[in-house]
């Protein structure tokens, strides 16, 4: 039996394969030391930190009714009336773009009229100077009213105003309730510091700070006051797909630096697989965010969802969706989550690769045989890894 410091990669809904891989380790009696994850890996690491077994984690996905299913919480836009209220704000992106379009359209009309009726153009220009604000407001209100009848209105406004087609509130609520199931006194504001004091589990979550243009490793050392639920929510907010998150002042600092109002998205945008943060405990860079490690107390192990390896017995082509937008987003996410560099080769003995090719990172309908194949890929991948690199021989 060993204590394992785990690094878990991103991978969208393919992250359910982690359950199979971790299940093999649990069955052999291994325990968790430090936990660090990106996106799907952050969700899994969070579930382990509060005390879920892999069987319990899978049960939450497979046995819940549709309205409580984990995957369904990931594709819920904000209510349309709430988004319209945001869009009607004086400095909203919708207003800015609409005003820009109106200005461009009126300027083009004036240029055409000047060519054959310069006096009329001058009169029109003067009238526009007086009435343009009212004209704009009437047109904008009509545009917003039209949104109520559009099936895609919510997703469109969500993208414009919050940077992603889907909201994260339902997922946030679901995650909070699951954490509270294991820790009854857990609340939405529980910070990394409170979680560590309660569980003694060293959880780290990777997010991408697009304002500061750097990856952040959030834990009880670096961001002690940041709520755990918010951190995981940030880590899974894939750009364009899920709404970006703005860091609030009450969440405190990161490494004593004020990051208030910085925009945070999926950690995979900058650091898909945080293996270095468990592989090199003596590095000053690592010690700065992960703290000191006791030599010989734990073993590092990275679990990487490998989209370049096919799942045994599965058809590797993915059927086209009816929505070309979703197809494009899926390809963007898949490209962002490919991870292969010299470090992977150097640390091959520390990395268990789980084949996931043929599975979409945005497949919210995983169930039945398809889900079983993905989980089994995790089990087989870990079993093969342990044969090649027995933990007992390290």
């Amino acid at each position: 039996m060993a204590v394992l410091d785990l690094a878990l990669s991103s991978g969208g809904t393919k992250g359910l394969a982690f359950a199979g891989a971790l299940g093999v380790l649990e069955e052999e009696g291994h325990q968790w030391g430090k936990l660090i994850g990106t996106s799907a890996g952050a969700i899994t690491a969070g579930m382990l930190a509060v005390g879920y077994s892999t069987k319990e984690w899978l049960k939450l996905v497979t046995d819940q009714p549709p309205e409580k299913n984990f995957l369904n919480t990931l594709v819920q836009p904000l209510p349309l009336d709430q988004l319209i209220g945001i869009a009607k704000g004086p400095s909203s992106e919708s207003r800015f773009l609409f005003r820009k379009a109106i200005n461009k359209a009126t300027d083009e009309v004036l240029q055409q009229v000047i060519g054959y009726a310069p006096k009329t153009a001058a009169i029109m220009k003067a009238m526009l100077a007086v009435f343009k604000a009212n004209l704009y407001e009437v047109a904008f209100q009509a545009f917003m009213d039209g949104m109520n009848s559009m099936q895609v209105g919510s997703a469109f406004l969500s993208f414009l105003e919050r940077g992603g087609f889907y909201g994260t509130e339902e997922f946030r609520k679901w995650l909070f309730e699951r954490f509270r199931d294991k820790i009854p006194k857990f609340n939405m504001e529980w910070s990394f510091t409170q979680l560590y004091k309660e569980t003694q589990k060293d959880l780290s979550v990777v997010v991408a700070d697009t304002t500061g243009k750097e990856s952040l490793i959030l834990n009880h050392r670096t961001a002690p006051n940041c709520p755990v639920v918010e951190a995981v929510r940030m880590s899974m907010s894939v750009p364009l797909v899920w709404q970006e998150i703005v860091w609030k002042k009450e969440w405190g600092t990161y490494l004593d630096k004020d990051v208030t109002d910085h925009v945070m998205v999926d950690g995979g945008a900058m650091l898909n697989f945080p293996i270095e943060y468990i592989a090199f405990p003596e590095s000053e860079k690592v010690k700065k965010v992960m703290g000191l490690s006791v030599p010989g107390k734990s073993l590092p192990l990275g679990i990487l969802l490998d989209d370049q390896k096919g799942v045994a017995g599965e058809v590797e082509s993915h059927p086209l969706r009816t929505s070309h937008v979703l197809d494009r987003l899926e390809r963007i996410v898949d490209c962002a989550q490919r991870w292969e560099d010299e470090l992977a080769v150097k640390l091959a003995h520390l990395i268990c690769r789980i084949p996931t090719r043929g599975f979409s990172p945005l497949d919210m309908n995983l169930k039945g045989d398809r889900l079983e194949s993905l989980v089994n890929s995790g089990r087989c991948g870990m079993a093969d890894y342990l044969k090649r690199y027995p933990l007992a021989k390290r």
Side-chain angles (χ1 to χ4, degrees), residues 59-70 174 178:
K59 189 176 178 67
L60 290 176
V61 179
T62 57
D63 291 357
Q64 292 287 338
E67 66 274 12
K68 292 185 177 180
N69 188 279
F70 158 66
W174 182 91
R178 301 295 75 77

Side-chain angles (χ1 to χ4, degrees), residues 44 47 127 205 223 229 249:
T44 304
M47 301 300 281
M127 291 179 65
V205 170
V229 169
K249 187 174 184 61

Side-chain angles (χ1 to χ4, degrees), residues 49-81:
V50 299
Y52 279 93
S53 68
T54 53
K55 288 183 179 179
E56 290 173 322
W57 173 215
L58 267 183
K59 189 176 178 67
L60 290 176
V61 179
T62 57
D63 291 357
Q64 292 287 338
E67 66 274 12
K68 292 185 177 180
N69 188 279
F70 158 66
L71 296 178
N72 289 343
T73 69
L74 298 175
V75 287
Q76 299 296 323
L78 285 175
L80 183 56
D81 57 348

